[in-house]
Amino acid sequence: EMNRKTADDVGGVLNLASSEYNRLLYDIVDGYSSVVKGSSKAEFAGPLSMAQMGSNTVSTGDVAETFLFFAALNLNLAAANALPIPGLDGARVVSLLALALYGKREIPEKAQQTIEIVTEISGLLLVILVANVLFADIGRVVPSLPALLKN
């Protein structure tokens, strides 16, 4: 059961919202760092699982829990999008930083080759991750599917 906190004024509401935001953000950063360190056994939820969780949350009729779910979902999407992987906004930030570092000068060929290799490899890894998460997601949401595929 959720421990509900209440506020008496706008300042209290902003304070509660800020502390909840900080808690969610800490949980997200902690989760990502444990995945990077390899100390996490957590599974990534794909779009089907997220839709199922969202539907379950909304069906409870608990408005606060629904807002919390969607806040956590949005913060997770923002954190994932900030990763420096090609195709995501984080890669654009890295590109802008490189342009700021080199200015209008041409990026050295060795650095350009390294960027291209990293881009290709990380793009491939992103496709593999997305496919893996999607297939695992389908297996969780449609539990009979793995058995059907074996036959």
Side-chain angles (χ1 to χ4, degrees):
E1 183 168 314
M2 194 170 155
N3 183 12
R4 301 285 166 101
K5 297 177 183 177
T6 59
D8 297 325
D9 57 11
V10 174
V13 169
L14 293 175
N15 189 27
L16 287 174
S18 175
S19 71
E20 188 61 24
Y21 172 84
N22 288 335
R23 186 190 66 79
L24 286 172
L25 196 57
Y26 174 81
D27 288 347
I28 291 167
V29 170
D30 187 49
Y32 276 105
S33 67
S34 66
V35 167
V36 168
K37 291 176 189 173
S39 62
S40 173
K41 302 293 183 210
E43 295 180 9
F44 291 99
L48 298 175
S49 293
M50 296 308 297
Q52 191 174 47
M53 284 187 266
S55 175
N56 291 343
T57 302
V58 169
S59 69
T60 65
D62 186 339
V63 175
E65 194 66 29
T66 300
F67 275 116
L68 187 61
F69 171 78
F70 285 108
L73 176 63
N74 278 296
L75 284 172
N76 270 293
L77 289 173
N81 195 36
L83 294 173
I85 298 173
L88 302 177
D89 288 339
R92 287 184 182 209
V93 171
V94 171
S95 296
L96 291 173
L97 289 173
L99 284 174
L101 180 65
Y102 288 103
K104 296 195 184 238
R105 294 179 294 159
E106 192 172 310
I107 296 175
E109 188 165 332
K110 183 79 172 162
Q112 186 64 36
Q113 289 173 346
T114 302
I115 291 170
E116 288 173 8
I117 291 169
V118 169
T119 298
E120 291 172 7
I121 291 171
S122 60
L124 178 63
L125 291 174
L126 181 62
V127 169
I128 291 169
L129 175 66
V130 168
N132 190 21
V133 167
L134 185 59
F135 286 122
D137 202 30
I138 291 170
R140 276 191 297 272
V141 174
V142 185
S144 59
L145 189 63
L148 290 173
L149 293 175
K150 287 183 181 177
N151 293 332

